[in-house]
Structure formats: C-alpha cells, structure tokens
Amino acid sequence: MKISVLGCGRWGSCIAWYLDKIGNEVLSCGLADAPEFIQLQTTHRNDYLVFPDSIEVSSDLSYAVSRAEVIVISISSQYLRSYFAQIAQYPLEGKTIVLCMKGVEASTGKRLSEIVGEFTDESKTPVAVWVGPGHPQDYVKGIPNCMVIDSKNREVKEKLVNEFSSELIRFYIGRDLIGSEIGAASKNVIGIAAGILDGMGYTSLKGGLMARSTQEIARLIEALGGNKMSAFGLCHLGDYEATLFSPWSHNRMFGEALVQGKKFEKLAEGVMTSKALYKLGREHGVDLPIVSAVYRVLFEDADIKEEIQQLFTRSVKDEF
C-alpha cells in the first residue's frame, strides 16, 4: 500500500517507520524549513529512530498527496484546520485520511474528524482516527502495545486494522468515533494533572486521579452522543500508563515543569485541549472538576494548591 505520512515529528516519524516495517511503500513529508524535517532528510534519523533507505523523505505536499492511497496526518492538532485547507487543494477522492494526533480544536470545540469533514465528502474520502497508547522509544525497541482505529466507515476501519496489525501493534476496531476522539484528546489533559502531582510530590494521588478523571470524561463523551464506556477503553484509560506515568510523556513533563517553574519547550497537546474541553463542558452542562482545575491553572493563573484543595472539599457523593 502506498502511504504518505504528513508530519515528521516524534510520532509522525515513528508511524512512518512502523508502516514501512510492515511492508508498505512509505513517504515521510514535512515542512522544508522545520528542524525535524531537515534532520530526517539529511541524516535519515532523529532522536528516536533511524529510517531505512526504503522510506522516501520529501517536503513536496502535492507529490505526497497525489501518490498516496492512504494519507496519515500527524501534526499539532490546533494546526489541522489550516494544514488541511492546503491538502484539500489537491484531489482526494478515493483516498483514505487517517488522523494520528489527539486533540480538540480549542476555538470551536470540534473533534479532528469533524474539521476534516468540513473539507471532504466522507463518502468519497473516508476519515479514520488512530489512537491509543505507546511511545516511539518503546516501539523501536520491539516492545508491543495495543491501539485502536475508528471511523464512521465500518469497511474502512476493518481494512486498516487488518492491513496495519502486526506482532508489534495489535489493533482493535473502534465502535464509537466520538468516544475514541474525545477520550484520546482528554488523556493529555489528565497527563498534565498527573505531572502537576508529580511536581508537588503527590505521586501516590495519581491512582485517585485515574479513577475520578475517567468518570468525568465518560460523562462528557455521553453528553456529546458517544458511548461512555469508551473512556474505559484503549483510547483513554488504556493510554494512562503512557501518559500519566511515562518519563517520555510530554504532557506529564509539562505539568511537572509547571510546578517546578521550569520552561517546557516541547509540544504538550493537553494545554489547548483543556481549553476545548472546558468549553464543551460548559456548553453541554457537564461537570468536569479535574479538567476545569487544569484549565484554571493554565489560563486563569489559579493557584495549584488551592485547586487541589477545592477538589478535596467538594460535596460528598457516591463513587458510582
């Protein structure tokens, strides 16, 4: 299968490496002036992996789109709208779009598949999402994991799961696109909360964070029309080990650095996603205490210790 992976950051380069490894014709496409693209083009390697010669590297978006049967996109979620406006200038009929990032558009509260749907006819250009746990640092060592592919189009997601599965990644067929996208995006916000707890020396509280945050994200998914049980699957709870505990999680590292007063230079998708989820919670009347606390700390300069104290002094209620 001819696949173009658009975006050559940490996860995008890992996807290109993986899809080549299982026998596809892969092109990795990035912005010509981006440092990560220049590094891959000139050395065929980055800080995480080495590309084999079989992976083509190009900055020609027109070529990348035209050659592909499947277009995989892995960029910062907040730039998807502007980036896809460029992609949509080229013929897309008959191609499949696979979104491999986790976020919700902060300005609109829209899921990423909804944004792509504004530019395409999904009956002619189906859209799928690829979500779940895992870090490039583990995959390149041969450490396996499980992930999910979801789409409105049953035939497309079944085909992708069959084509992409291997001994390294076991894919499951998602059955709730809303839940898969919201759950995957939300875990990054909870990752920031986990990092805050680590930075404060409250690491043992992450068990409570996992249990209670999954409950509130389940409420949000249900309010948006999804299946609340998706929050307990691979897209959300299943990704917690990689996000709440891993030393490689950007969102967890961001939260820890925030408490310690250190500057964090890398992308933490959970920052803008907290703004989007806070907006969705208010619009749909869903109580999101943990998400709201993260939002207030990031965007309203709320005191972290006071926010934690408020979470512990909320009115008494049944666990379920």
Side-chain angles (χ1 to χ4, degrees):
M1 184 183 295
K2 288 189 175 181
I3 302 175
S4 290
V5 180
L6 311 184
C8 54
R10 178 175 69 159
W11 187 226
S13 61
C14 181
I15 291 167
W17 170 86
Y18 172 74
L19 293 174
D20 169 85
K21 181 180 176 66
I22 61 173
N24 296 287
E25 297 179 47
V26 177
L27 178 141
S28 174
C29 182
L31 300 176
D33 58 351
E36 63 267 22
F37 172 78
I38 295 170
Q39 184 179 14
L40 276 176
Q41 188 180 48
T42 56
T43 68
H44 244 54
R45 66 172 61 231
N46 58 22
D47 295 341
Y48 309 100
L49 48 78
V50 177
F51 272 0
D53 292 338
S54 51
I55 297 180
E56 187 177 358
V57 181
S58 173
S59 60
D60 187 338
L61 183 61
S62 175
Y63 169 62
V65 171
S66 65
R67 69 174 289 280
E69 301 167 64
V70 174
I71 299 171
V72 177
I73 304 176
S74 180
I75 63 169
S76 170
S77 61
Q78 301 305 319
Y79 293 103
L80 178 61
R81 181 179 295 278
S82 59
Y83 189 53
F84 207 87
Q86 299 176 52
I87 297 169
Q89 296 175 22
Y90 309 111
L92 295 175
E93 186 172 339
K95 303 178 187 295
T96 298
I97 308 296
V98 182
L99 303 175
C100 290
M101 58 275 212
K102 303 164 184 177
V104 178
E105 190 172 47
S107 59
T108 65
K110 288 191 173 184
R111 293 177 286 113
L112 304 185
S113 68
E114 291 181 301
I115 295 171
V116 173
E118 294 181 16
F119 295 92
T120 62
D121 180 344
E122 289 193 33
S123 65
K124 298 176 181 177
T125 309
V127 180
V129 300
W130 170 347
V131 297
H135 284 297
Q137 293 93 328
D138 289 329
Y139 283 128
V140 297
K141 293 177 183 176
I143 300 173
N145 217 320
C146 302
M147 303 191 83
V148 175
I149 291 178
D150 210 338
S151 173
K152 291 180 182 177
N153 188 312
R154 176 82 188 184
E155 181 181 347
V156 165
K157 60 188 173 185
E158 286 183 352
K159 179 182 178 181
L160 290 172
V161 164
N162 287 326
E163 293 283 348
F164 289 178
S165 290
S166 73
E167 293 181 354
L168 188 56
I169 302 180
R170 174 179 171 83
F171 283 98
Y172 287 84
I173 300 168
R175 299 184 63 183
D176 174 29
L177 185 58
I178 293 173
S180 292
E181 289 192 87
I182 295 297
S186 301
K187 66 93 189 179
N188 285 330
V189 180
I190 309 307
I192 291 175
I196 288 173
L197 295 180
D198 284 337
M200 297 180 69
Y202 291 178
T203 296
S204 61
L205 187 52
K206 288 199 287 190
L209 172 68
M210 291 172 64
R212 295 314 306 164
S213 60
T214 308
Q215 291 283 345
E216 72 176 70
I217 299 308
R219 291 195 298 268
L220 179 60
I221 289 172
E222 187 174 41
L224 295 173
N227 182 347
K228 65 181 181 181
M229 293 306 296
S230 293
F232 299 89
L234 285 166
C235 73
H236 187 74
L237 181 59
D239 205 352
Y240 270 9
E241 190 283 330
T243 306
L244 275 62
F245 294 93
S246 172
W248 298 313
S249 167
H250 284 182
N251 291 283
R252 193 207 60 77
M253 287 192 286
F254 174 89
E256 186 172 19
L258 182 69
V259 172
Q260 297 172 346
K262 299 177 181 177
K263 194 169 184 179
F264 187 76
E265 301 286 354
K266 297 180 180 179
L267 174 66
E269 289 276 19
V271 174
M272 296 308 294
T273 300
S274 71
K275 190 173 186 178
L277 297 186
Y278 181 76
K279 172 184 175 69
L280 287 174
R282 290 174 66 87
E283 289 176 351
H284 293 269
V286 182
D287 187 25
L288 302 174
I290 296 170
V291 168
S292 297
V294 172
Y295 168 81
R296 286 191 292 268
V297 167
L298 295 180
F299 292 98
E300 296 182 353
D301 294 323
D303 182 80
I304 293 173
K305 287 188 176 181
E306 288 182 7
E307 288 297 324
I308 293 176
Q309 185 176 16
Q310 287 181 26
L311 288 172
F312 272 84
T313 56
R314 284 164 50 84
S315 59
V316 174
K317 59 182 67 178
D318 293 334
E319 181 181 12
F320 300 105

